[in-house]
Amino acid sequence: MKIILIPGSLRKNSYNKMALNFIKKEIEETGNKAEIIDLKKVNMPLFDEDIESAGVPQNIIDFQNKLLESDAFIIAVPEYNHSVSGALKNAIDWASRSKSPVFKNKSIGLTGASTGMGGTIRAQIAILPTLRALGGNIIPYQSYIAAAQNVFSEDGNINDDSIRNNLRNLVLNVIGQSKK
């Protein structure tokens, strides 16, 4: 099984990317494959039908193809102003324009880290209607990492056993639902 991991934050040292680095290792320990797609490196323009009708850029086609080849997703949803980051929403909009449905009938796990006490709960709730409209199977186990500045060390390690266990459970739930 191949699981694509998408951090919705563009920041180099984002807590969401740190969480996905841990998740990637956990997935690989189960014998499955994982790939993190850094949206900053994809360098996608804002979705625009004029760009699409002139010819979808190759970097977008490559992004869509990677998503199509996956069996499941884990998305780290940062919270910007009580909602989803523009980068993540833009990536989902481009993904939705693929020739084949990218998210349809695939398991999607959600997590998110923030420095606040809500741990991205509002952003994760905000993204649910979009992912459901695209046919994704959102697993009912979501992970919220609050006060992330106290959870992650400078080198990206997780200092909290309960957070590590929570993220492991997220991985097991995504794998388990994907095998159904």
Side-chain angles (χ1 to χ4, degrees):
M1 172 181 301
K2 181 173 183 181
I3 302 173
I4 293 290
L5 311 175
I6 303 172
S9 174
L10 300 178
R11 189 168 57 89
K12 179 181 176 185
N13 295 319
S14 110
Y15 296 122
N16 288 286
K17 288 180 181 178
M18 290 179 191
L20 290 181
N21 284 327
F22 175 84
I23 287 170
K24 182 179 189 291
K25 290 176 192 167
E26 291 297 311
I27 291 169
E28 290 169 348
E29 284 183 16
T30 68
N32 293 291
K33 295 178 183 176
E35 180 181 353
I36 297 173
I37 296 180
D38 186 335
L39 298 179
K40 190 171 196 169
K41 291 179 181 172
V42 175
N43 192 29
M44 56 186 79
L46 290 174
F47 176 75
D48 179 344
E49 285 188 25
D50 291 336
I51 293 172
E52 184 181 46
S53 63
V56 177
Q58 188 61 47
N59 59 326
I60 301 298
I61 293 169
D62 294 343
F63 171 69
Q64 292 168 336
N65 287 336
K66 280 187 182 220
L67 299 183
L68 284 167
E69 295 167 1
S70 73
D71 298 299
F73 302 94
I74 296 179
I75 302 173
V77 184
E79 188 164 295
Y80 292 9
N81 300 313
H82 296 195
S83 194
V84 178
S85 71
L88 180 57
K89 180 62 170 77
N90 188 53
I92 291 170
D93 289 343
W94 273 113
S96 74
R97 304 300 282 205
S98 174
K99 291 183 176 32
S100 298
V102 167
F103 297 107
K104 189 171 178 101
N105 298 322
K106 292 184 185 178
S107 297
I108 302 172
L110 300 177
T111 189
S114 94
T115 56
M117 294 313 294
T120 76
I121 191 169
R122 292 173 290 217
Q124 289 186 45
I125 290 169
I127 202 153
L128 289 174
T130 301
L131 294 172
R132 285 185 182 130
L134 297 173
N137 294 328
I138 313 303
I139 65 162
Y141 187 94
Q142 289 157 281
S143 167
Y144 309 104
I145 303 170
Q149 70 277 16
N150 300 323
V151 171
F152 296 94
S153 62
E154 285 187 28
D155 60 2
N157 289 321
I158 298 174
N159 302 321
D160 185 313
D161 286 338
S162 65
I163 298 296
R164 279 194 297 273
N165 289 332
N166 182 280
L167 293 174
R168 282 184 189 113
N169 285 331
L170 176 66
V171 166
L172 294 175
N173 276 270
V174 168
I175 291 170
Q177 182 170 323
S178 297
K179 290 183 177 179
K180 290 182 181 179

